[in-house]
């Protein structure tokens, strides 16, 4: 049952990465999340955090531009804001699932 949970989490992370890559226009096969390299999971998490940070900074700058009158693209700013919020929520959910899986592993009897 624990192995199934870990594989489900890995599958969700891979799907999240694929959807993010498709949204950014990157070929999905150019991202590799797997056991072929030692730091692939760490690299994937760093990339996800950096992507969320970039989305939030972009949304902030677009909203600031609309508020100061430098831009009339209110719809674009709101879409960027929603995208940043959604990517942050997805990252938090992945973090929560990983913390839960770690707790489950720590509670396993030896």
């Amino acid at each position: 049952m624990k192995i199934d949970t870990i594989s489900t989490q890995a599958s969700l992370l891979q799907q999240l990465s694929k959807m993010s890559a498709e949204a950014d226009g990157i070929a999905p096969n150019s991202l590799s999340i797997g056991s072929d390299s030692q730091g692939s999971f760490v690299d994937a998490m760093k990339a996800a955090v950096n992507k969320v940070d970039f989305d939030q900074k972009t949304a902030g700058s677009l909203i600031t531009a609309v508020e100061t009158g430098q831009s009339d693209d209110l719809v674009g700013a709101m879409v960027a804001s929603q995208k940043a919020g959604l990517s942050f929520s997805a990252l938090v959910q992945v973090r929560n699932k990983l913390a839960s899986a770690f707790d489950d592993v720590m509670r396993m009897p030896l």
Side-chain angles (χ1 to χ4, degrees):
M1 182 172 176
K2 302 298 180 194
I3 294 173
D4 186 39
T5 303
I6 293 171
S7 66
T8 301
Q9 290 170 355
S11 173
L12 289 174
L13 183 60
Q14 189 173 17
Q15 288 174 359
L16 177 65
S17 177
K18 182 179 175 184
M19 286 187 287
S20 175
E22 288 174 356
D24 292 337
I26 301 171
N29 293 334
S30 67
L31 296 175
S32 66
I33 298 175
S35 60
D36 56 338
S37 67
Q38 189 72 333
S40 65
F41 179 75
V42 172
D43 293 340
M45 287 304 294
K46 284 181 183 179
V49 169
N50 289 336
K51 175 74 173 91
V52 169
D53 183 51
F54 177 77
D55 287 346
Q56 289 180 339
K57 287 179 181 177
T58 302
S61 66
L62 289 174
I63 289 172
T64 301
V66 170
E67 289 174 347
T68 59
Q70 296 174 350
S71 174
D72 292 333
D73 188 19
L74 178 62
V75 173
M78 294 308 296
V79 167
S81 175
Q82 290 295 317
K83 181 179 176 182
L86 184 61
S87 63
F88 180 75
S89 295
L91 183 66
V92 168
Q93 289 298 320
V94 169
R95 185 214 52 191
N96 291 344
K97 289 291 184 179
L98 287 172
S100 174
F102 179 76
D103 288 340
D104 290 344
V105 168
M106 292 304 292
R107 289 185 187 128
M108 282 183 185
L110 294 177

